[in-house]
Amino acid sequence: MAQTLYIENGRIVDPTQNLDKIANLLLIDGKVAAISPSADSVPSDAQRIDATGLVVTPGLIDMHAHLREPGYEEAETVASGARAALTGGFTSIACPPNTSPALDTQANVALIRELAARARMCNVFPICCISKGRKGEELAELGLLFESGAVACSDDGSSIENDELMKRALQYCKMFDKAVLCHEESVELAKDGVMHEGRVSNILGLRGIPAEAEGVMVSRDIALAESVGARLHIMHVSSAGAIASIRRAKARGVRVTAEVTPHHLTLTDEELRSFDSNFKMNPPLRSQEHVDACIEGLLDGTIDAIATDHAPHSAEKKEREINIAPFGIIGLETAVPLILDFVADGRLTWAQLVEKMAINPAKILGIAKGTLQAGADADVTIIDPNRQWTYTKESIVSKSKNSPYIGRNFKGRAVITIVDGEIRYKLD
């Protein structure tokens, strides 16, 4: 049940109100009641939270988190993934449709919503398929899927190779003002690749995935979106060429947005020298020049959002030889501390962090979240920027443990996560 909460003396950061100051926040009946309310307006039964030294933000949103259910419950479920999200400070997540069966029917979209409601963890927003079965052959019943609660569409895990199908998807989604979320990868260029194609892949003798595999698809989809006037969102962008294309498209007024993951901002293909499959992901970790381009794109506004691409896999699958282990890592519990490093060294401001991890994801997905304005849903993240901690395998909340950051010492993390005015997570 929603609680009456009074968060005192925290540094409230909310760019939707040009707000960054020490203040108090009152939450009543699942809604934001007021910032810095008068003393006599605070109910006597309010639960008080001392946020001295802490940063209070609109609830963080991860717009790209795989929950695996239905079909791959050994790796993650809606409930376990949502619990991991709360631990990481996320009040809302959006889950892509590459489940089994895929989210290409109203019933399957409704199932995700029902599982999330039963779990009562964070808000979970389903992303439906672009094509039936994610096969890239026939358009899914997008209107019905949006009616069932899908907030966007994607065939994530696969690109739409068929040009005509992609154009029709953009045209159709334009009618609903929904974004088309694209995994950008040329199948022919990336075929059988294990890691980024470059000097390290040549040294290791592993087949590479060239940066052009992403770049050519980004360029195609920008051209199609521009011709249609539709909303295009580039998922987990990782290459300098793709970022340059997005930057130019934005300058022309194309309705394109993009996201980047913490791992593409903080790791390079050099990590694969260990042959540790926890560094194997798609798009792959790239060379330093591409990491630098991702950081530049994040800082100059070319990249709109930070998303985890949380991709859990069971140990028996992920711990195989690197050439056959699946792509992907978990990321919900480490995203905030990784991005806080950029705040600590002055590259990102707190306002920019909130924009990239709350405001912009809400705008892209078209959900009424990402603000602490009076009357808004009482979704709040409270962060301790100075909390020292070590990320251990034993502490991981996700069902899967496939993270390259295990054993890393961090500074900063979410300590309280509030959803609909209820404390759903509090660090002991």
Side-chain angles (χ1 to χ4, degrees):
M1 294 178 60
Q3 302 159 286
T4 298
L5 300 175
Y6 189 48
I7 303 167
E8 300 178 277
N9 305 314
R11 178 182 174 184
I12 300 179
V13 180
D14 183 2
T16 69
Q17 304 179 73
N18 295 316
L19 188 63
D20 185 345
K21 68 176 183 178
I22 304 299
N24 305 323
L25 176 66
L26 179 62
L27 311 176
I28 300 177
D29 294 333
K31 299 292 182 181
V32 176
I35 292 175
S36 297
S38 60
D40 58 3
S41 67
V42 179
S44 59
D45 62 347
Q47 179 179 342
R48 292 174 180 260
I49 299 172
D50 183 6
T52 302
L54 308 180
V55 180
V56 180
T57 75
L60 302 183
I61 300 169
D62 183 6
M63 62 180 296
H64 187 172
H66 299 272
L67 300 182
R68 301 306 189 202
E69 190 176 18
Y72 307 103
E73 290 84 354
E74 75 282 358
E76 196 77 282
T77 63
V78 171
S80 67
R83 186 179 297 109
L86 288 176
T87 305
F90 293 99
T91 59
S92 298
I93 55 177
C95 57
N98 53 338
T99 52
S100 182
L103 304 186
D104 61 356
T105 68
Q106 289 180 288
N108 291 342
V109 170
L111 173 64
I112 299 299
R113 298 182 69 191
E114 174 62 25
L115 291 170
R118 279 189 226 162
R120 288 196 76 251
M121 297 288 174
C122 69
N123 303 300
V124 177
F125 296 96
I127 299 168
C128 67
C129 296
I130 295 173
S131 66
K132 292 183 178 180
R134 295 177 49 253
K135 295 179 180 179
E137 298 170 355
E138 184 180 357
L139 205 63
E141 298 287 348
L142 294 175
L144 294 176
L145 293 168
F146 295 147
E147 186 179 276
S148 297
V151 294
C153 63
S154 177
D155 273 6
D156 187 32
S158 302
S159 285
I160 299 291
E161 293 288 310
N162 185 309
D163 300 341
E164 191 268 341
L165 182 68
M166 182 61 189
K167 183 175 181 179
R168 281 199 291 121
L170 288 163
Q171 290 171 326
Y172 207 80
C173 288
K174 182 183 178 183
M175 293 189 293
F176 296 94
D177 195 29
K178 297 289 187 182
V180 181
L181 280 51
C182 290
H183 172 110
E184 303 286 21
E185 180 182 48
S186 165
V187 173
E188 292 302 318
L189 287 174
K191 189 174 182 180
D192 299 324
V194 173
M195 64 175 293
H196 173 63
E197 181 181 272
R199 181 177 61 88
V200 179
S201 66
N202 289 334
I203 291 171
L204 300 180
L206 295 174
R207 184 171 180 126
I209 300 173
E212 294 79 14
E214 178 176 272
V216 296
M217 295 300 288
V218 167
S219 295
R220 182 206 69 170
D221 288 344
I222 285 174
L224 292 175
E226 186 170 16
S227 69
V228 171
R231 294 175 56 206
L232 172 70
H233 178 75
I234 310 300
M235 306 176 87
H236 46 45
V237 67
S238 68
S239 61
I243 292 167
S245 294
I246 295 166
R247 185 178 288 115
R248 290 192 296 268
K250 285 191 169 193
R252 297 196 305 273
V254 181
R255 301 174 72 193
V256 58
T257 54
E259 71 188 41
V260 69
T261 71
H263 46 273
H264 287 116
L265 295 169
T266 58
L267 301 171
T268 73
D269 58 346
E270 292 285 344
E271 305 288 352
L272 272 297
R273 291 178 181 272
S274 66
F275 287 91
D276 182 347
S277 62
N278 282 329
F279 293 101
K280 181 183 179 183
M281 56 212 56
N282 191 13
L285 297 177
R286 300 200 186 274
S287 58
Q288 189 63 53
E289 64 184 288
H290 294 287
V291 173
D292 292 341
C294 287
I295 294 171
E296 181 183 1
L298 182 71
L299 301 184
D300 70 14
T302 301
I303 296 174
D304 305 86
I306 296 168
T308 69
D309 192 11
H310 177 78
H313 293 289
S314 61
E316 57 267 27
K317 291 181 179 178
K318 194 62 174 174
E319 292 177 0
R320 293 183 292 180
E321 295 88 345
I322 197 164
N323 61 316
I324 59 174
F327 293 104
I329 64 168
I330 58 174
L332 286 167
E333 298 166 61
T334 54
V336 167
L338 286 167
I339 300 306
L340 284 178
D341 284 345
F342 288 83
V343 176
D345 66 18
R347 285 180 289 177
L348 274 183
T349 65
W350 274 102
Q352 288 172 319
L353 181 148
V354 174
E355 287 171 349
K356 308 291 187 183
M357 300 186 75
I359 297 171
N360 290 347
K363 288 179 180 178
I364 294 165
L365 296 174
I367 58 177
K369 302 287 184 181
T371 182
L372 295 178
Q373 294 182 26
D377 293 342
D379 292 351
V380 182
T381 302
I382 303 179
I383 297 168
D384 184 347
N386 297 309
R387 179 68 67 103
Q388 304 275 355
W389 63 291
T390 302
Y391 186 57
T392 64
K393 193 170 186 178
E394 294 72 27
S395 68
I396 293 174
V397 174
S398 170
K399 287 186 73 173
S400 294
K401 316 300 177 186
N402 53 308
S403 170
Y405 298 106
I406 292 174
R408 179 162 173 168
N409 295 319
F410 286 114
K411 183 179 180 182
R413 68 181 302 177
V415 292
I416 298 177
T417 311
I418 299 168
V419 180
D420 292 332
E422 180 181 351
I423 297 174
R424 300 278 176 88
Y425 168 77
K426 185 175 183 180
L427 182 65
D428 296 330

